[in-house]
Amino acid sequence: MFAKFKKVMLVFCSGALVLTAAGCGGSAEPLEPTKSPPTPEATATSSPPTPSPTPSAKPTPTPVAGSSKGPAKNWPIPEMPEAAKKKNEAGIKAFAEYYYELVEYTIQTNDTKPIKQVTERTCVECASGFIDPFDNNRKAGSWLAGADFEITVTKSILQPKNGVVLYTSTQSEMVAYMSDGTRQGVFPASDKPFPATMLLSWDDGWSVETLEYLDVK
């Protein structure tokens, strides 16, 4: 603001000097000083600051289900519900349902990290059915498409350090593909619910210790 004000004053001074020079050239006699009208004061104005552009949020990538073109992409990792973090019978039920969401995610994406975080290595069925095969698929570049599980919890039992879940499960048809997209085989959809049991252990949260499918003749 001070710089702008100084510049205006310099213009006024220059104008006064020009007028004086013109008077000296017209007559040798001194001229009566001419009173000029008062010059309006220069008003320094300041413009409001330009607001910084607000960074736009990155769009959420669209999930793409697995197909002959490849495994699922941008598939959201299931979030554990608050109910599944409770050490009670409702928490046991909620955790079992959440665990099968992780099963679906693992099959769709070949990403076993989330399910490993809530699975004990003592669970042989978990390792052989839901973890090791998909670690191997990821290394080989093969994948499955079409995973969809539904479970119905029939009973939850709370013990001092454990929880027991009795439930039934069904699965949709799943298609296996090789790394070049060749269709390798089909796992048919279940024609009836499979009864199963899950033993959970508690250590500041639930994890699966064993899982067993029951034979029904």
Side-chain angles (χ1 to χ4, degrees), residues 92 157-159 161-165 198-202 206:
I92 293 171
I157 304 170
L158 178 64
Q159 298 175 343
K161 295 183 180 181
N162 299 94
V164 179
V165 192
M198 188 185 296
L199 176 64
L200 310 180
S201 59
W202 176 267
W206 293 114

Side-chain angles (χ1 to χ4, degrees), residues 47 90 93 136 170 179 194 211-212:
S47 57
K93 177 179 181 295
N136 294 332
T170 59
S179 59
F194 291 101
L211 186 153
E212 182 180 0

Side-chain angles (χ1 to χ4, degrees), residues 86-105:
K86 306 295 184 182
K87 189 181 180 182
N88 53 32
E89 291 184 354
I92 293 171
K93 177 179 181 295
F95 180 84
E97 294 169 346
Y98 164 70
Y99 191 80
Y100 270 84
E101 292 180 8
L102 290 178
V103 170
E104 292 179 359
Y105 171 83

Side-chain angles (χ1 to χ4, degrees), residues 35 42 57 67 95 107 135 142-143 154 171 185 194:
K35 294 183 179 181
S67 66
F95 180 84
I107 295 173
D135 279 338
S142 53
W143 67 91
T154 56
Q171 71 174 52
F194 291 101

Side-chain angles (χ1 to χ4, degrees), residues 1-90:
M1 184 180 294
F2 178 79
K4 180 182 289 188
F5 181 73
K6 184 176 180 182
K7 182 177 181 181
V8 172
M9 293 303 295
L10 287 174
V11 172
F12 291 157
C13 292
S14 300
L17 289 171
V18 170
L19 289 174
T20 302
C24 293
S27 174
E29 298 180 0
L31 298 176
E32 291 291 329
T34 304
K35 294 183 179 181
S36 58
T39 304
E41 294 182 1
T43 304
T45 59
S46 59
S47 57
T50 304
S52 301
T54 303
S56 57
K58 294 182 179 180
T60 302
T62 303
V64 179
S67 66
S68 60
K69 297 180 180 180
K73 296 180 180 180
N74 307 321
W75 210 250
I77 300 174
E79 294 185 8
M80 183 184 296
E82 288 299 318
K85 302 175 184 179
K86 306 295 184 182
K87 189 181 180 182
N88 53 32
E89 291 184 354

Side-chain angles (χ1 to χ4, degrees), residues 107-190:
I107 295 173
Q108 286 274 8
T109 64
N110 286 340
D111 179 10
T112 61
K113 291 180 181 178
I115 200 170
K116 284 178 179 178
Q117 293 176 355
V118 291
T119 305
E120 303 292 335
R121 289 302 294 183
T122 55
C123 185
V124 177
E125 185 68 33
C126 303
S128 63
F130 307 139
I131 296 177
D132 295 343
F134 300 99
D135 279 338
N136 294 332
N137 279 358
R138 185 178 67 255
K139 294 175 183 178
S142 53
W143 67 91
L144 284 177
D148 184 17
F149 285 81
E150 294 289 339
I151 76 165
T152 302
V153 176
T154 56
K155 192 173 183 61
S156 300
I157 304 170
L158 178 64
Q159 298 175 343
K161 295 183 180 181
N162 299 94
V164 179
V165 192
L166 304 179
Y167 63 99
T168 60
S169 69
T170 59
Q171 71 174 52
S172 64
E173 179 182 272
M174 293 183 288
V175 181
Y177 293 95
M178 299 180 68
S179 59
D180 59 358
T182 303
R183 185 166 168 159
Q184 187 177 18
V186 176
F187 296 90
S190 52

